[in-house]
Amino acid sequence: MRTGPTQDEIRRQNLGALLRYVHVHGATTRAELTNRLGLNRSTIGALTADLAGAGLVSEGAPKETGRGGRPSLVVRPESARIYAYAYSIEVDRLRAARVGLGGVLLDQRELDRPRDLLAADAAPLLTGAVKEMHQAVPTDAVCVGAGVAVCGMVRREDGLVRLSPTTGWVDEPIGSTLAAELGSDVPVTTGNVADVAAFAEHIRGVAAGCDNVIYLYGDVGVGAGIITGGRRLTGHGGYGGEVGHMVVVRDGRRCECGRQGCWETEIGEHGLLLAAGRSGSRGREALLGVFDAADRGDATAQTAVRQAGDWLGFGVANLVNIFNPELVIFGGTMRDLYLASAAQVRSRLNANALPACLEHVRLRTPKLGPDAPLLGAAELAFERLLADPLDRP
């Protein structure tokens, strides 16, 4: 009967811990790795040698040092050589990127997306962007996988988009479709865009060091990435975070999901444009036009923005009471709405949130900006490598 992990398992765990640290923090001295990982100098030396031998990191002298004596070697991720592909499928655009180990955005492409475009048609467009980027990839570079961020309810096990009301997708197999386009040697992992954006901000963005985070993401609809106790909260099948569909108005306006009174009917694209008297418009530029008009004194636009901001604060207060986060991040179009109505958001939050939940919460915009979904999708692809660097595809 086994009583504990084998030496090989311990070694693999330590390799993963060291590579993950360098992936998240960038160039790191051996001395810092010894201190942070709680391992002795000789073990750190052996682990970095193994990772360097596998082509995952490089070691060298620091570029500059102000101290005497022999400087500690610096371990750097091989960002140009080890990479993942990342996709972000949004309501009005498709994006593809090549992201190096360490979260370095090496290359990216963006395409307009017709709102009626299905997965079978989107996959070849994204694959074409990847092929274009691949022409500049060094011959010795290694792709460890691909990650996909999608606006919609994504089944974790196979990347099937069960429902995306804002794009019209129902049971669209985007994960398997992209995997077939890329080939069997490139594993594909799919997630919800708000969830993966929260993941990225938690690793290397404004939420770094925070273990309890809500990332509100707006496109046409509204979703959330939720991190509790340092872990992503995605639910049983991967459908967690659909906060835009919590009902806030009994018998309210009909939502694109088919129900009535959803939160996103008050703060999403359609509701805000309707309130501003611009129901014939759509898209982020139309929303920015409302915010600009409000800023210039347009009374109708100002009323629409104040009303949406009040509803935004109402929903955030409920989420703060439920999850007790340290940080609430407003991304996508929620960033624009928050910045245009911060006073209303804070006022409603102060009025509705429980004092104990409210006392430490901070409201922020993303540090990674619009790149958060791409960087988060790449993190999905890197997870297998970071868990076991010796288990390469």
Side-chain angles (χ1 to χ4, degrees):
M1 179 180 293
R2 289 184 59 182
T3 58
T6 66
Q7 287 298 313
D8 183 63
E9 288 171 337
I10 292 173
R11 173 171 164 267
R12 286 173 179 265
Q13 290 170 5
N14 288 337
L15 285 168
L18 195 157
L19 184 61
R20 188 180 295 274
Y21 191 92
V22 174
H23 170 68
V24 172
H25 298 280
T28 309
T29 64
R30 280 195 184 185
E32 181 178 345
L33 290 169
T34 300
N35 180 53
R36 294 293 184 179
L37 300 183
L39 301 171
N40 61 48
R41 292 172 59 186
S42 61
T43 299
I44 290 294
L47 294 174
T48 55
D50 286 345
L51 293 175
L56 299 172
V57 302
S58 61
E59 288 190 280
K63 294 181 179 178
E64 58 183 57
T65 177
R67 291 184 289 180
R70 184 178 180 181
S72 178
L73 290 176
V74 174
V75 183
R76 297 181 174 86
E78 282 284 7
S79 302
R81 184 175 180 276
I82 306 298
Y83 69 94
Y85 282 116
Y87 304 99
S88 182
I89 301 174
E90 300 161 32
V91 174
D92 292 319
R93 63 180 177 175
L94 303 172
R95 292 191 292 161
R98 188 165 66 91
V99 181
L101 188 66
V104 180
L105 195 57
L106 300 171
D107 198 358
Q108 66 174 307
R109 299 287 187 275
E110 181 175 322
L111 303 166
D112 289 334
R113 178 192 182 277
R115 292 196 176 184
D116 59 351
L117 190 73
L118 298 181
D121 301 310
L125 294 176
L126 290 167
T127 304
V130 164
K131 289 179 179 177
E132 185 178 317
M133 288 188 288
H134 193 72
Q135 296 175 9
V137 175
T139 56
D140 65 341
V142 177
C143 177
V144 299
V148 189
V150 188
C151 287
M153 299 177 67
V154 182
R155 189 163 67 191
R156 181 170 48 233
E157 65 187 56
D158 59 3
L160 181 77
V161 180
R162 294 294 306 276
L163 178 66
S164 177
T166 56
T167 62
W169 285 15
V170 178
D171 290 338
E172 284 287 310
I174 189 63
S176 59
T177 303
L178 278 170
E181 290 277 347
L182 290 171
S184 59
D185 59 333
V186 181
V188 178
T189 309
T190 308
N192 172 269
V193 66
D195 175 57
V196 302
F199 192 24
E201 289 288 346
H202 181 239
I203 290 173
R204 61 183 79 256
V206 71
C210 297
D211 284 342
N212 299 280
V213 180
I214 295 173
Y215 182 106
L216 280 178
Y217 180 85
D219 207 321
V220 172
V222 179
I226 300 169
I227 294 171
T228 60
R231 295 178 177 272
R232 294 158 55 216
L233 181 64
T234 58
H236 174 68
Y239 310 132
E242 291 295 326
V243 299
H245 298 291
M246 62 180 177
V247 177
V248 297
V249 183
R250 183 177 180 179
D251 301 325
R253 286 199 292 262
R254 193 166 187 81
C255 180
E256 290 195 18
C257 73
R259 291 156 184 82
Q260 289 178 272
C262 293
W263 189 29
E264 71 177 45
T265 65
E266 302 296 338
I267 63 173
E269 176 185 303
H270 297 320
L272 185 53
L273 291 174
L274 178 64
R278 305 185 184 199
S279 57
S281 303
R282 69 180 190 179
R284 186 167 183 270
E285 291 305 315
L287 287 176
L288 293 178
V290 173
F291 300 136
D292 181 62
D295 191 52
R296 289 185 287 104
D298 183 293
T300 302
Q302 288 178 336
T303 299
V305 170
R306 282 197 300 269
Q307 178 179 296
D310 188 66
W311 275 114
L312 179 58
F314 177 90
V316 168
N318 286 331
L319 296 175
V320 165
N321 288 342
I322 295 168
F323 294 105
N324 186 208
E326 304 160 68
L327 198 65
V328 178
I329 307 170
F330 300 91
T333 57
M334 289 300 99
R335 172 188 179 276
D336 303 308
L337 176 57
Y338 168 67
L339 292 176
S341 62
Q344 285 75 32
V345 173
R346 177 55 75 174
S347 176
R348 176 57 68 179
L349 179 61
N350 289 340
N352 286 31
L354 295 168
C357 295
L358 182 62
E359 59 188 1
H360 296 301
V361 71
R362 292 170 290 147
L363 308 182
R364 295 289 186 271
T365 56
K367 178 181 177 181
L368 303 176
D371 290 333
L374 285 173
L375 293 172
E379 292 298 336
L380 294 180
F382 282 124
E383 272 299 290
R384 177 179 170 183
L385 172 70
L386 299 176
D388 187 352
L390 300 185
D391 182 23
R392 301 277 290 279

